[in-house]
Amino acid sequence: MTARAAVLAGIGSAVPPRVVTNHDLAGRMDTSDEWIRTRTGIAERRVVDPGTATSDLAIAAGRRALDSAGDPGVGAVVVGTATPDHPCPATGPIVAAGLDLGTVPAYDVGAVCSGFLYALVTGAGLIAAEVADSVLVIGADAFTTIVDPHDRTTAPIFADGAGAVVLRAGSPDEPGALREMLLASDGLQADLIRVAAGGSRQRSHHTEALREDLYLTMRGGEVFKNAVLRMTESSRTVLARTGWSTADVDLLVGHQANVRILHAVAEQLGVGLERAYVNIGHTGNTAAASIPLALDDAVGEGRLHAGDKVLLTAFGAGTTWGAVTLTWPDRLSRAGAPATSAA
C-alpha cells in the first residue's frame, strides 16, 4: 500500500490594517529609517490595534486558505503561535469555532518563529496516521503585544500577521506533496530569546512581575549566528534526503527574521539570492506567520509555478528549527491579496 502524503491544497494570509513605518518609530525612539533598513531590511510592518488578538488574524487567514482550496471540510486545525489569545484555553479551538468547523480537533503548537513548520509537520502527521483526511494549518502571531514598543532592539523588527494552508491526503509523488521534513530543538539555549514573566516559573513565586520581564528579550548576535547555522544545516539535510541539489531549488522561503540572515543562509547553501524569497521589507518579522505569509505573497507575485521545487526553513526561540521540501501544486488559486483583519 502506498503511504499517504500531505498535499498542499489551499493558501491564504491576513495582516492588520495599521501600517507602522520606520519613520513612525523614529518619532518615538532613538533610531532612524536608515539604521533599521541597513540592519534588518525592514521598511514597514503591520501592527494590531487594541482589541485585536491572534485568533482574529488566524480566522481571517484560515478563511482565505479554505476559500483557496474550494472551501472543503477539514478534519483538524493546528495553529502555530507564541501569542495565544489567553494562557488558557488554547487558540486553536477558538479559531475552529470562528470558522464554523464544528467539533474538529483543534490545538496550538508553540515553537515561536519555527511554529508554522512545526504545525505543518504535525498536520502532515495527522494525515499520514489517517487521523484526518485534511488539515488546516495556520501560523499566526500578534507578536507586537509581547514587544516593548520603546525598545530599539526589538520594536523595529517584529510585527503581526497570519498565514494558512490547507493540506489534504494524497500520494507522495503528486505535485503539491510535502517531501522531506526535519524538526529539531536545543533547550540549553532557551535564554537566547524569551519573555521571562507570565509563565509558571515566574507565577509560582506569587510576586508581581517586573515590567521589563513582561517583554521579549533577545541576544541578537548569538541568535544571528545560530539561525544561520541551524537553517543551513537543516536545509542541507532535507535536500539530501529528498535527492535534490541546491541547484534544483526553485525558491528558498526562509523565516523572515532579518534580510541578512536570509542572504547568509542562501549564500552558505549556494542558492542564488534571486531564488531566496524576501518580503520582510513590508511585513517585518511576523514570527510563526512569516513563512505562510511569504508563500502567499510569492503566489501573488507569480514567483511560484506548478512543479517548482520549494525549500522552507526556519529558526526560532526554544531554540527550535527545521526545514521542509515540497513541490508546488498544479492548481492552487489564491483568494485575493492578504486580508486585513481587525477585531
Side-chain angles (χ1 to χ4, degrees):
M1 179 182 294
T2 303
R4 283 162 49 114
V7 178
L8 191 63
I11 192 165
S13 63
V15 292
R18 181 156 62 108
V19 177
V20 176
T21 68
N22 292 345
H23 296 292
D24 294 330
L25 294 179
R28 70 170 189 249
M29 66 180 70
D30 181 20
T31 190
S32 68
D33 176 64
E34 181 184 11
W35 190 91
I36 297 169
R37 283 179 187 261
T38 56
R39 286 161 177 78
T40 67
I42 300 170
E44 62 183 36
R45 72 285 296 145
R46 298 297 186 101
V47 176
V48 293
D49 287 317
T52 300
T54 294
S55 66
D56 298 312
L57 299 170
I59 289 168
R63 172 46 56 201
R64 289 277 175 142
L66 291 167
D67 289 347
S68 167
D71 202 17
V74 295
V77 177
V78 185
V79 178
T81 187
T83 56
D85 287 15
H86 312 281
C88 174
T91 299
I94 297 171
V95 173
L99 291 169
D100 295 321
L101 296 176
T103 58
V104 300
Y107 55 94
D108 296 357
V109 172
V112 197
C113 294
S114 302
F116 176 73
L117 287 192
Y118 268 66
L120 188 70
V121 173
T122 301
L126 292 175
I127 288 173
E130 300 187 16
V131 174
D133 291 328
S134 59
V135 181
L136 176 62
V137 177
I138 304 173
D141 271 306
F143 215 78
T144 62
T145 62
I146 60 171
V147 171
D148 184 341
H150 301 290
D151 181 356
R152 72 192 295 264
T153 64
T154 57
I157 297 172
F158 292 100
D160 306 323
V165 299
V166 174
L167 300 177
R168 63 165 176 82
S171 62
D173 58 351
E174 71 175 288
L178 304 188
R179 302 290 296 274
E180 293 293 332
M181 295 166 264
L182 182 153
L183 301 175
S185 72
D186 182 4
L188 295 177
Q189 295 185 311
D191 62 342
L192 289 188
I193 313 167
R194 71 169 185 166
V195 177
S200 61
R201 180 71 63 192
Q202 175 263 318
R203 287 173 178 266
S204 66
H205 290 289
H206 301 289
T207 57
E208 193 73 21
L210 298 174
R211 178 186 181 278
E212 57 265 30
D213 288 341
L214 295 172
Y215 293 119
L216 180 100
T217 59
M218 181 171 64
R219 286 157 42 192
E222 291 175 69
V223 170
F224 185 100
K225 289 185 291 185
N226 278 276
V228 174
L229 173 66
R230 298 305 192 181
M231 290 168 72
T232 302
E233 285 182 344
S234 58
S235 294
R236 285 177 175 152
T237 298
V238 295
L239 286 173
R241 291 178 181 173
T242 310
W244 294 352
S245 70
T246 53
D248 292 324
V249 176
D250 294 299
L251 200 66
L252 165 63
V253 182
H255 164 53
Q256 305 289 306
N258 179 307
V259 71
R260 294 187 300 149
I261 291 175
L262 293 167
H263 286 173
V265 171
E267 288 167 357
Q268 291 204 14
L269 287 173
V271 173
L273 295 185
E274 73 282 358
R275 291 183 284 141
Y277 186 75
V278 177
N279 73 339
I280 192 174
H282 67 269
T283 64
N285 180 343
T286 55
S290 78
I291 286 180
L293 258 172
L295 286 171
D296 197 32
D297 276 357
V299 172
E301 294 171 15
R303 292 288 302 275
L304 283 165
H305 309 92
D308 277 357
K309 295 178 173 63
V310 182
L311 170 63
L312 311 178
T313 186
F315 177 87
T319 55
T320 59
W321 62 91
V324 172
T325 54
L326 70 147
T327 53
W328 202 250
D330 288 337
R331 293 176 296 276
L332 186 66
S333 60
R334 188 190 193 216
T340 54
S341 173

